Amino acid sequence: MASSARWNHVWVGSETGILKGVNLRRRQATNYVAASALRRDEGVCAMCWGDPSESEILVGCLDRSVKLFSTEKGKFTESRQCLGGEGSFCGLAVHDSSIITCVESGLLKVWRDASSENMETQVGAGVCRMRQNPAQPQSVGTGGKENALKVWDLHRPEEPIFRAKNVRNDWLNLRVPVWERDLQFLPGSEKIVTCTGHHQVRLYDPSSPQRRPVLEATYGEYPLTALSLTPGADSVVVGSSHGDMAVIDLRQGRLVKCLKGFAGSVRSVQCHPTLPLVASCGLDRFLRVHNIEDKHLVHKVYLKSRLNCLLLTSREKWDDEEPEPAAPQADVKEEKDELWDGMETVATKTVLKRRADPNVRETQLGKRPKKQKRTSAGP
């Protein structure tokens, strides 16, 4: 029997290593990691779909393991250690049954079935994000702190096929620092949109003669941490470390609208490919789904843990889904709940205050006895 996990609309990875599946129609969240196995060194730092039918999810953890979760079975089925380089995963992808990983130190590696066929290359230190081009799965883009945008062909990994050039010096003739935080390929073209830690949104076109951005816009005053293209790819949704989220028009480079309701840094943003919905999560432990057209907050789910990344299903007819009734599940303990539940309950005695008898001395609770007043004798 197939698991009810396949009906979840959003998958979220937390800092404590929990993979959470959220069914927005039922308003139900399910943990797929036992509470006894929670460890911060297994925190989820990268996720991607394992196949086009979205029946598998690849989960990259801080201990450099990549786990395969089956949405049909509702459990983890495989695990693989992807060692090499330093730092956590900053990107995860799949190409021809091979896993593509990239770590912060800049080691980009393709893991094949036979270890002798693995391919690796160095893309530069300080990497913040690695993304795959959906139209050309053999092509990936990388960028980071003092590491400009580069596009790599995994069939020819010796040199990047595109290397971005930094913008010109500012009005004080000072060099503008480079800090690419996230990127995404525009469908139907070679263009790439990025967001930076200096609150800039830039659009690059490798087909043009210049390597500098063909469009640049700024938003807010805080570092931008995540982005996602809207349906139609004419705008991009960006989130910041201050908890701000906005829609930027990529044709004119102007602010279209702001999405409100956040209380912490935004870690991950993903738009639905066809519906006007965008899902986001971050350090305030909430999963939010906004309607891009009217800015309405459609769903808001509290998930108890700090959230690092998410995956939004591409299914369209959410309201028509009629999943079978889910089997009753045991209560999933999370984080420190086990510790508190295992502690012995101690009952405290309540001391009731009574009106003292004037003829009885108070000796309870260490109180000193009251001195009796002397009565003066009559003449």
Side-chain angles (χ1 to χ4, degrees), residues 8 13 40 45 54 107-108 112 133 156-157 159 194-195 226 230 237 263 303 338 343 367:
N8 290 331
R40 286 203 171 269
C45 52
E54 299 180 357
L107 180 65
L108 176 66
R112 298 186 172 92
N133 186 350
R156 296 172 296 166
E159 288 292 330
T194 68
C195 65
T230 61
V237 180
L303 297 177
E338 259 190 356
M343 295 178 67
K367 293 185 178 180

Side-chain angles (χ1 to χ4, degrees), residues 284-302:
D284 63 355
R285 297 174 168 87
F286 279 96
L287 166 68
R288 294 178 175 85
V289 179
H290 284 84
N291 188 307
I292 303 175
E293 294 179 349
D294 57 11
K295 303 187 294 183
H296 178 63
L297 180 60
V298 183
H299 299 282
K300 181 179 178 181
V301 185
Y302 181 67

